[in-house]
Structure formats: C-alpha cells, structure tokens
Amino acid sequence: MKTHSLIFVFLLSLSFTFSQNTENPWVISLGANLINLTGDEVDSGIKFGAPSVAVSRYLIGGVSFGGEYTIGNAENGDAEYSYSSIEGNLKLNIVNNPDKSVRPFVKASYGLVRFDEKIDKEGPFPSTEANYTLSGGVGVDIDLSDHLSLNLSTSVQSNLEEESQFEIGFNHLKHIVGFSYGFAIADKDRDGIRDRIDECPDQAGLKEFDGCPDSDGDGIMDKADECPKTPGIAQFNGCPDSDGDGIIDSEDRCPQEAGSEELQGCPDNDRDGVANPNDDCPNQAGSAENNGCPWGDRDGDGVTDNIDACPEVPGKGVDGCPSIPQSIIDWTSSEKATLHFAGDSSNLSDENKSTLSEELAPILREYSAIELLIEGHASSDGSTEYNYELGLTRAQNVVDFLVEQKVNPNMLEIVSYGEDQPVADNKTRKGRKANRRVKIVLKNQE
C-alpha cells in the first residue's frame, strides 16, 4: 500500500517538474469508467465505476505526460471485483491545433492494476498484490469552452504478470467518459502577458508596454504612435524628424537636410533668405528677385546690371555709364582686346605687338585717366600652379610692352586667372588655343 502510494505521488510530482506557462498548460480530468474483462476464459459484463482522476501536462508537439487514478468494478461470471489502478501515461494529439474544437488522440500507459474480491482488503489503492499493466488507447477531446472539454477514451489494458496465490489479473478494456479543465493562462496573442493584464490582448506586444506592440521599435507603443510603421521621436508622437531640425518630416520640405522653421525646414547655405531648393545660386548670396543669385555686372564696372543704365559699357557713375572716350570703350569691347598666345608660351606675337602699339597705346597716351585690367589666362595643359604663373607672365609681358610704348604703368593692373576661366572646351585643340590668351578689360575709372 505504501509503495503504491509513493508511486502515485512520484508520478504527480514528476509531472509538476515542468514550469507553468502558456506553452505548457496543466489539465485536470474527472470522469466515470466502464471496465470490461477480456480473454478466452472470461465471462464478463461491463461494470460502471467512478471516479477516474487524471492530471496531465503538455510538453511539446502535441505530446502530454500525466498520471491517472481509477476506482471501478468488474465481473467475471458470478464473481465481482473491486477495481483500482494508477498509471503514468503519454498522450499524443493527432490534430495538434489548439484552434480545433475536436481533437482525437492516442495514448500509451504503464502502471499498476488490482482486482480484489474483497473491497476493503487493503483500502482503495493498489498494493503489493497489484499487477503491472501496459496499455494503449484512443480517444477524443471536445472543447465546450475556453477551459472545459468533454473526454471520451478507450484503452486496452494488458496484464504483464501471471496469476499467483496473492494476485488476480485480467486483460481488460477501460472506457472513460469525463470532463477536463485546463489551467492554461489565457494569452491569445502568445506574447507571454496574461490577457487580463494585457492592454492589447489581440496583438503580441512587449512587457514594458503592458502587452502592446511597438512595430517600428522607436520606444513608443503603436496605439500612442501616430507613425507606427516608421521610427520617430516622442516630441512628434512617434513620427520622424530625420534631419533633427525640430520640424516633423510631414511638414518639412527638406526632411533630409536641417533647415529653419521660417524656410519650412530647408537650409539657406548662403544666408540670403532664399531656401536652397529655390536658390539658383545656393552658395552665393543673392536677391530673391533674381532667384537667389547675385545680380550680374556684365561690363565689370562695379554697377550691377539691375541698376546699370549701360550694362554693356563700363562706366564710373552711379548709373554705370562711362565718362571716358568712346574709342577705348569700342576697342576693349572688340575682339582686338583678346590677345592669343602659342602653347606653353608667354611671348607676344608680331600681330599682338602691332595691335598694342598702333591701336591701344596711342589712346592710353592721350587719356591718362583710363585704367585697364590685364587678365592673363591659360589652357588646362600642365598643373594649376604652372598655369597660374603662365597667365601672370603673359599679362606682365603685355604691360611691359605697353610701358615700352610710353604708357603710364599706373594705368595698368594685372591679374592671372590661370586655367580657371576658360572660354572654350579644353578637351579640344581648338578650345585650348582659344584659352591661351590675355584679355584687356576697361575698368572705367577716371
């Protein structure tokens, strides 16, 4: 008696070694049984008995482990027996889908069974006079609610021992009809948070958000996030400010570039008050009336074209018009004011010398108030530093020649632009030839 009681306690304690959670629910079952003895020398009826009590624990893949204790009655001809059994069993759900309300299963059991003609011989539990049995069976669970189900099962019990003077054993069938109650914690979304404390029981979520999800991982739960699919910041209720300029992306004309609120989130590189997308010259301060670009000065007289009454002719007055001889204006505006040079050379050609001595020098000797800018240029052959020096030498040689022609050197200023201001494509021979030049520009000052 003590041995069998210990076995029963052992089976139950073994089944409780698994931790309770939503993936491993506990189930307790209570039912009535029908015992039917089988065999060639058996004259059996079906005897009703009660109760059958079972505890099981879900493991994995539709497999459950548990223990079952049964008290019942059996008969063989005129002999009647009290029946008791204790078993450990494994159960496999053929349909392993918790959403199905009807789930057939198979099971296998091993345990102890006692048939006794004297009901009070050793009490209701199997004793050392019990027989070891091995059984297999089938059954079905039919859900009645979230936690309650109806159970029907039949198992074939095979006696593993021969009868002795102390033991009575039979092969038999055991039919059980009963109900099961599941102690599984309700967690519909399977996020590990009980439905009763889950603020979003139909959506898997996070513990820190009481079971609600944060789909974009920005630390703001979806139901408080106005942009749940795009990471954002708390300042804008979960919506993004990609450039960090304090303007929400949905209202930011330039969401990838930090800007100012007055320019709707766009930058203004040159600080001229015109946003970069509207600024045709974003790196040069200009006028909004000129699309953010500075006004040009085509004649280079220091008076911008928008207020220059003579935009094509250098002048010193506030209106941009000249107060110098028309002859110098005409000459510097003509092609003659551009002197060309051979490749890698700063020497003046005979043609250049003739133009300077016969046309320009006489005007300069007559009108001493004229000031000229002698610009030296080069093609892109050679390094930038070399081309700068070459342009400077070309300009200086023009000045030196004019000085030789009795021109006041104070009227002449030189500058080199090297290869920075090409007038033609340096990739072509013709273009490079056009870029090897000195340009004589009227500064238009008295």
Side-chain angles (χ1 to χ4, degrees):
M1 177 68 177
K2 291 181 179 179
T3 300
H4 297 149
S5 297
L6 289 174
I7 292 173
F8 176 71
V9 173
F10 170 73
L11 288 172
L12 292 180
S13 65
L14 183 61
S15 66
F16 274 98
T17 59
F18 301 96
S19 60
Q20 275 187 303
N21 56 53
T22 56
E23 298 300 326
N24 299 293
W26 287 101
V27 174
I28 186 170
S29 302
L30 179 65
N33 60 81
L34 297 170
I35 306 300
N36 178 207
L37 305 183
T38 62
D40 295 336
E41 300 179 359
V42 170
D43 180 15
S44 174
I46 298 177
K47 299 290 289 184
F48 174 83
S52 289
V53 180
V55 177
S56 66
R57 179 70 169 84
Y58 179 80
L59 299 179
I60 191 171
V63 177
S64 301
F65 172 75
E68 180 180 282
Y69 174 63
T70 301
I71 297 175
N73 298 288
E75 66 177 11
N76 185 13
D78 295 331
E80 292 191 5
Y81 305 95
S82 61
Y83 173 90
S84 57
S85 70
I86 184 168
E87 300 172 295
N89 59 64
L90 285 174
K91 171 183 170 183
L92 172 64
N93 288 327
I94 299 174
V95 178
N96 184 28
N97 186 341
D99 295 329
K100 298 293 184 180
S101 59
V102 178
R103 298 184 301 280
F105 62 83
V106 295
K107 69 176 182 177
S109 305
Y110 180 79
L112 295 169
V113 174
R114 187 181 72 178
F115 292 90
D116 198 334
E117 293 180 293
K118 297 180 179 179
I119 296 176
D120 60 350
K121 180 179 180 181
E122 292 290 345
F125 293 96
S127 67
T128 54
E129 298 178 0
N131 297 288
Y132 290 99
T133 61
L134 182 65
S135 68
V138 296
V140 63
D141 293 321
I142 302 173
D143 290 341
L144 303 178
S145 69
D146 287 343
H147 295 279
L148 187 65
S149 62
L150 173 67
N151 314 119
L152 305 172
S153 68
T154 294
S155 60
V156 178
Q157 307 275 330
S158 298
N159 183 27
L160 299 179
E161 299 182 68
E162 297 293 333
E163 294 186 18
S164 69
Q165 59 178 330
F166 303 109
E167 299 171 338
I168 302 172
F170 297 97
N171 294 330
H172 58 285
L173 299 175
K174 180 166 66 174
H175 315 282
I176 296 178
V177 179
F179 295 92
S180 294
Y181 185 84
F183 290 93
I185 297 172
D187 180 15
K188 289 187 289 186
D189 55 19
R190 298 183 180 274
D191 59 3
I193 302 168
R194 301 179 184 182
D195 287 349
R196 66 183 179 84
I197 61 172
D198 194 329
E199 295 293 329
C200 301
D202 297 317
Q203 295 176 284
L206 304 173
K207 184 177 181 181
E208 56 266 34
F209 295 135
D210 297 323
C212 289
D214 174 17
S215 300
D216 55 19
D218 60 4
I220 302 167
M221 61 181 172
D222 286 358
K223 69 178 185 179
D225 195 330
E226 294 181 6
C227 302
K229 302 300 182 184
T230 307
I233 57 178
Q235 177 184 353
F236 297 123
N237 299 321
C239 290
D241 173 17
S242 301
D243 54 18
D245 60 3
I247 302 170
I248 189 171
D249 282 0
S250 60
E251 299 176 3
D252 195 331
R253 287 185 58 212
C254 304
Q256 302 303 321
E257 297 179 275
S260 62
E261 185 174 357
E262 55 269 24
L263 296 178
Q264 296 178 289
C266 289
D268 177 15
N269 291 356
D270 53 19
R271 300 180 182 276
D272 59 3
V274 181
N276 284 0
N278 301 328
D279 198 330
D280 291 342
C281 304
N283 297 311
Q284 289 179 284
S287 170
E289 292 80 9
N290 199 32
N291 297 324
C293 289
W295 290 105
D297 181 12
R298 284 173 286 172
D299 55 17
D301 60 3
V303 181
T304 57
D305 290 347
N306 62 311
I307 59 173
D308 195 332
C310 303
E312 302 294 340
V313 181
K316 66 167 292 184
V318 293
D319 61 354
C321 291
S323 57
I324 56 175
Q326 188 64 39
S327 58
I328 191 63
I329 295 174
D330 293 339
W331 194 91
T332 54
S333 300
S334 70
E335 293 181 359
K336 297 177 182 180
T338 301
L339 309 176
H340 292 284
F341 292 76
D344 195 27
S345 172
S346 59
N347 296 326
L348 289 168
S349 67
D350 291 340
E351 181 182 356
N352 289 341
K353 290 179 180 180
S354 175
T355 300
L356 293 174
S357 62
E358 295 176 9
E359 298 184 24
L360 181 60
I363 299 174
L364 297 180
R365 287 195 294 266
E366 182 177 356
Y367 298 99
S368 60
I370 296 173
E371 292 184 358
L372 299 178
L373 180 64
I374 314 300
E375 299 177 350
H377 299 269
S379 66
S380 62
D381 296 330
S383 67
T384 301
E385 294 79 7
Y386 178 83
N387 290 331
Y388 172 81
E389 293 296 331
L390 181 58
L392 194 64
T393 303
R394 286 171 175 168
Q396 185 63 56
N397 285 350
V398 171
V399 171
D400 292 345
F401 182 79
L402 289 172
V403 171
E404 290 176 4
Q405 304 302 310
K406 309 302 180 181
V407 174
N408 185 349
N410 293 328
M411 302 170 65
L412 308 172
E413 179 182 349
I414 65 172
V415 65
S416 175
Y417 292 108
E419 64 183 59
D420 292 339
Q421 294 186 359
V423 293
D425 191 350
N426 276 306
K427 295 180 180 179
T428 67
R429 182 177 181 181
K430 183 177 179 181
R432 290 191 295 273
K433 182 178 180 181
N435 290 329
R436 301 175 189 130
R437 71 194 191 280
V438 165
K439 175 70 174 175
I440 300 174
V441 179
L442 180 63
K443 295 180 68 176
N444 201 23
Q445 293 180 351
E446 293 182 358

